[in-house]
Amino acid sequence: GSFPKAEFPVIPGHEGAGIVESVGEGVTSMKPGDKVIPLCVPQCGECSFCRNPESNFCQKSHLSEPQNLLLDKTSRFSCKGKQIHHFLWISTFSEYTVVPEYAVAKIDAAAPLDKVCLFGCGFSTGYGAAINTAKVKPGSTCAVFGLGGVGLSVVMGCKAAGASRIIAVDINKDKFAKAKQLGATECINPRDFKKPIQEVLTEMTGQGVDYSFEVIGHADTMIAALASCNMSTGICVMVGELDSGSEISIDPTLLLTGRTWKGSVLGGWKMRECIPKLVSSYLEKKFNPDLLITHTLPFAKVNEGFELLHTGKSIRTVLLF
């Protein structure tokens, strides 16, 4: 994606949950034994983005500051005496990791770690794209392109916001049952139509949807999603990440008539302050991301988890240590 290149050897992983084993000097916001979610977008609380209530993209994040070593430019990981790099300061594919205080959020002690790990990225990203970035209105019509874990979380967000029609779009029809269970009102497969999918959506809705979400990361679906929201007040939110260096050509009249095209990082949540509240809402049963977890594997089978993901057989696989 748009992440700066990871430096190898590296311990990857950007989505997880754990328990504080110990804290360094001056750390006051958590103590050993606390349950936490490491944050792949930190919240330092001091930069101009953190001080701006409308931004959630801390300037200490990966696009402005390399995160392959800790703040003192050392690594806490080694193997056979050789240094191993960190990833986004959190490296969740590890039984133990070391993170800066502002890249971790303390959560409710009652939270089940094998479920709320999804809040570190996937669920929060999709749910927030609908609630915070698009600000979906009750009674509106939405289209969601891509029904992986993040796309299905967008569906949940649209439903929670009161959308009356949620049209799910994917070329893998095996995802449709789950999408309907989570709130999709209709599911369509672009391969079932001769005409471009944006034309299909415009015909289904009269003038295009109110909100569209691209949750795949392909240039052609980005353009289709933009063209499928209505030309005057439609809002298209880019959630999927294109390969870095990609370029998209669009017809400027798509925007000239009033459409909005915007991106969303981690669902627009200010991570440190919002993730604990989202976890509390989950414990109050306001939404159920547990339905996104299709497989659970011991960590040693991490490669099987990736295989399930690449072949489209899983939504989310949780790895347990």
Side-chain angles (χ1 to χ4, degrees), residues 248-265:
I248 297 183
S249 303
I250 63 153
D251 173 353
T253 54
L254 284 171
L255 298 175
L256 184 69
T257 52
R259 276 186 185 87
T260 303
W261 190 20
K262 61 202 304 194
S264 179
V265 172

Side-chain angles (χ1 to χ4, degrees), residues 69-88:
L69 295 172
L70 287 184
L71 306 161
D72 59 3
K73 303 300 174 225
T74 65
S75 167
R76 298 297 189 277
F77 297 125
S78 63
C79 180
K80 298 178 182 157
K82 286 216 165 78
Q83 171 179 288
I84 295 178
H85 291 93
H86 292 247
F87 180 67
L88 300 181

Side-chain angles (χ1 to χ4, degrees), residues 5 31 35 99 254 277:
K5 291 201 167 40
K31 60 187 188 307
K35 286 186 178 176
V99 302
L254 284 171
K277 294 175 191 162

Side-chain angles (χ1 to χ4, degrees), residues 138-273:
S140 59
T141 303
C142 303
V144 181
F145 288 72
L147 300 175
V150 183
L152 291 170
S153 301
V154 173
V155 170
M156 277 191 248
C158 293
K159 184 180 181 188
S164 61
R165 278 181 90 180
I166 303 169
I167 305 167
V169 184
D170 202 299
I171 55 173
N172 179 352
K173 61 182 188 304
D174 296 343
K175 304 274 173 87
F176 290 170
K178 182 78 79 174
K180 289 205 161 142
Q181 185 187 7
L182 294 172
T185 54
E186 297 142 275
C187 295
I188 58 176
N189 182 342
R191 292 186 172 160
D192 293 342
F193 301 92
K194 294 229 167 24
K195 57 180 71 162
I197 197 68
Q198 56 265 44
E199 289 180 25
V200 175
L201 286 161
T202 303
E203 282 174 20
M204 286 172 74
T205 55
Q207 75 291 351
V209 296
D210 299 307
Y211 306 94
S212 59
F213 301 85
E214 202 279 1
V215 206
I216 304 166
H218 287 320
D220 54 351
T221 41
M222 293 260 179
I223 295 163
L226 181 61
S228 63
C229 70
N230 94 62
M231 67 193 298
S232 171
T233 57
I235 294 176
C236 175
V237 179
M238 180 193 305
V239 187
E241 239 180 80
L242 281 110
D243 294 336
S244 58
S246 306
E247 292 192 357
I248 297 183
S249 303
I250 63 153
D251 173 353
T253 54
L254 284 171
L255 298 175
L256 184 69
T257 52
R259 276 186 185 87
T260 303
W261 190 20
K262 61 202 304 194
S264 179
V265 172
L266 260 161
W269 305 105
K270 282 189 181 289
M271 292 293 276
R272 260 196 111 195
E273 64 195 61

Side-chain angles (χ1 to χ4, degrees), residues 93 297-307 319:
F93 287 176
L297 294 173
F299 186 76
K301 294 191 171 172
V302 57
N303 288 334
E304 283 180 36
F306 277 116
E307 191 55 32
L319 302 170

Side-chain angles (χ1 to χ4, degrees), residues 4 22 27 52 60 77 87 94 124 133 137 141 147 154 159 179 185 188 256 265 272 274 279 292 312 318:
S22 57
V27 172
N52 179 344
K60 288 206 160 47
F77 297 125
F87 180 67
S94 168
S124 308
T133 312
K137 293 190 179 87
T141 303
L147 300 175
V154 173
K159 184 180 181 188
T185 54
I188 58 176
L256 184 69
V265 172
R272 260 196 111 195
C274 295
V279 168
L292 301 173
V318 172

